[in-house]
Amino acid sequence: MKKYLFTSESVTEGHPDKVCDLISDAVLDECLKQDKDSRVAVETFASKNKITVAGQVTTKGTVNVEKVVRDTLKAIGYDNEATDIDYMTCQIEVNIVEQSPDIAMGVDTGGAGDQGMMFGYACDETEEYMPFAAMMSHKLAKRLTEIRKDGIVNYLRPDGKTQVTVEYEGNVPKRIDTIVISNQHLADASLETMKSDIINHVIKTVVPEEYIDENTKIYINPTGRFVIGGPLGDTGLTGRKIIVDTYGGSAPHGGGAFSGKDASKVDRSAAYMVRHIAKNIVANKLAKKCQIEIAYAIGVDKPVSLCVDTFGTNTIPEEEIIRRVEEKFDLTPRGIIKHLNLKEPIYTKTTNYGHFGKEGMSWEEVVEL
């Protein structure tokens, strides 16, 4: 069988782009707590000790955006202007207007909030029905945050990235070829101590030992120093980690990002729905791997196309799979929102470590298909 290497990455919640995603989703959640029919499309930009929040919001609620920003930065752990950003002293700029009535006119009648195509994917490589490289990257990144916040390793700062390269035989992950971990740290932290701590407290607790062998390469902070991080080390922007958010490159991504958008935006809600459907196709053993593309026209309720690809792993004809999908699921925006219960303030739970493969999310539930 063909052997090949495939790589996926993830980032911690302190990565500048993820800081922006989380702020945007926190604003969305606060709107939904006060008004479940809120329309939200919020973008965040982070630079040297400054956060800019802009976009369109139509809500009956009253949201203190500055408080949301400061609370979010504090929860992440950012409190040092000299090395990253300080939640207490950073400048906050807010530029939010109401949703365009031209868009609202089409959405109010149940149509899609925009045109575009969305992709859903699932495979049987992991118990989460997600690609192995992507899940390993997410679990490593999440563990970095856990050991920092729990005080297990007290010299780590919030910014960090992970990357995992997996060797496949056919469609089966056989071993991990390379692990790359870069995490921001205090200036007096020893690189050798950091290597030991991350190997013992992160890699060994996350990666199943059978996937690591004598030829596995491990790189920890390979530049040798990572003191300046967060928005001081690199600007952040909502929606720049779309492959991290989805399938680690194992499947295509549509035209739009997720964070900061309410469920009337099919960029988000339809992507969640086709993940739900793809996962259930695999979980019901109708295929070992499945990719779905769906597309919409702005203001139109029904999708303009639906494509199912099982890569030859299907156990029943794809035409029968499509028939079952169309019979089981209402793929209009209103149908998706109702089926997945997407008017609840759940979105900060989705922001970090991938939007898919997480317990407790409605689109991850397995149903009979």
Side-chain angles (χ1 to χ4, degrees):
M1 300 180 72
K2 179 184 175 182
K3 286 187 178 182
Y4 60 94
L5 300 178
F6 189 85
T7 301
S8 294
E9 69 164 350
S10 187
V11 296
T12 64
E13 64 188 50
H15 185 282
D17 294 332
K18 275 294 151 197
V19 170
C20 294
D21 283 343
L22 189 57
I23 290 171
S24 297
D25 277 336
V27 172
L28 169 61
D29 276 356
E30 190 58 36
C31 290
L32 293 173
K33 288 174 186 176
Q34 300 183 39
D35 176 9
K36 290 187 178 182
D37 293 320
S38 296
R39 300 272 174 78
V40 180
V42 168
E43 313 289 344
T44 303
F45 177 69
S47 54
K48 181 183 177 182
N49 219 40
K50 181 177 181 180
I51 301 291
T52 301
V53 182
Q56 297 78 43
V57 174
T58 301
T59 182
K60 296 176 183 176
T62 302
V63 178
N64 185 337
V65 175
E66 179 175 340
K67 185 178 187 302
V68 170
V69 172
R70 295 196 192 279
D71 288 349
T72 301
L73 291 173
K74 181 180 180 181
I76 292 171
Y78 274 133
D79 57 7
N80 191 335
E81 179 182 355
T83 58
D84 29 68
I85 193 169
D86 187 342
Y87 77 92
M88 293 182 288
T89 65
C90 67
Q91 181 183 353
I92 297 172
E93 179 183 6
V94 179
N95 184 15
I96 292 177
V97 298
E98 287 195 349
Q99 183 183 57
S100 162
D102 295 345
I103 296 174
M105 183 171 58
V107 178
D108 290 343
T109 58
D114 201 354
Q115 70 174 47
M117 68 284 190
M118 303 85 210
F119 288 88
Y121 181 80
C123 59
D124 63 359
E125 293 178 21
T126 63
E127 63 181 8
E128 299 89 356
Y129 297 97
M130 286 286 288
F132 181 71
M135 288 308 300
M136 283 294 99
S137 298
H138 290 323
K139 289 180 178 181
L140 289 169
K142 186 177 182 181
R143 182 60 180 163
L144 285 171
T145 297
E146 289 172 351
I147 65 170
R148 172 177 62 86
K149 288 189 168 182
D150 292 345
I152 297 171
V153 177
N154 60 11
Y155 52 78
L156 294 181
R157 293 292 291 165
D159 197 356
K161 301 182 79 170
T162 63
Q163 184 173 282
V164 177
T165 301
V166 176
E167 182 179 297
Y168 282 80
E169 288 185 12
N171 292 320
V172 180
K174 290 295 186 179
R175 57 180 291 275
I176 291 177
D177 183 80
T178 308
I179 297 173
V180 183
I181 295 178
S182 296
N183 206 104
Q184 184 190 9
H185 57 85
L186 298 178
D188 58 357
S190 159
L191 182 58
E192 291 308 311
T193 299
M194 190 181 312
K195 287 181 178 179
S196 175
D197 283 342
I198 288 179
I199 288 172
N200 289 312
H201 295 299
V202 178
I203 295 174
K204 286 186 177 180
T205 64
V206 167
V207 181
E209 62 181 13
E210 64 266 26
Y211 288 99
I212 296 181
D213 58 31
E214 66 276 7
N215 295 316
T216 299
K217 300 176 283 294
I218 297 175
Y219 300 107
I220 296 171
N221 279 19
T223 67
R225 182 178 172 87
F226 187 1
V227 174
I228 303 299
L232 183 60
D234 189 12
T235 56
L237 186 66
T238 302
R240 265 202 315 211
K241 285 292 174 283
I242 56 176
I243 298 303
V244 171
D245 287 345
T246 52
Y247 307 102
S250 292
H253 184 93
F258 299 156
S259 290
K261 297 177 180 178
D262 74 271
S264 71
K265 284 75 174 172
V266 284
D267 280 341
R268 186 170 211 166
S269 55
Y272 288 177
M273 189 65 174
V274 287
R275 158 62 182 174
H276 179 59
I277 296 169
K279 178 177 179 177
N280 275 282
I281 288 170
V282 177
N284 280 273
K285 300 189 184 304
L286 304 183
K288 295 174 68 64
K289 182 165 66 170
C290 180
Q291 176 179 294
I292 299 176
E293 186 205 39
I294 198 167
Y296 291 85
I298 188 168
V300 179
D301 61 348
K302 295 186 183 300
V304 298
S305 68
L306 176 69
C307 177
V308 175
D309 186 356
T310 58
F311 305 93
T313 67
N314 49 306
T315 57
I316 64 173
E318 286 185 348
E319 293 79 6
E320 172 63 15
I321 294 175
I322 294 172
R323 187 194 66 77
R324 293 191 190 186
V325 167
E326 292 178 335
E327 186 177 88
K328 178 84 174 180
F329 302 107
D330 180 353
L331 297 177
T332 65
R334 284 180 175 172
I336 291 171
I337 290 168
K338 181 179 179 181
H339 184 84
L340 298 180
N341 199 22
L342 295 180
K343 288 191 175 185
E344 297 301 316
I346 57 169
Y347 295 98
T348 54
K349 296 177 183 178
T350 70
T351 313
N352 290 297
Y353 318 115
H355 289 240
F356 308 127
K358 290 178 174 176
E359 292 184 3
M361 298 292 100
S362 59
W363 48 92
E364 296 297 322
E365 293 178 5
V366 175
V367 298
E368 185 177 349
L369 186 60

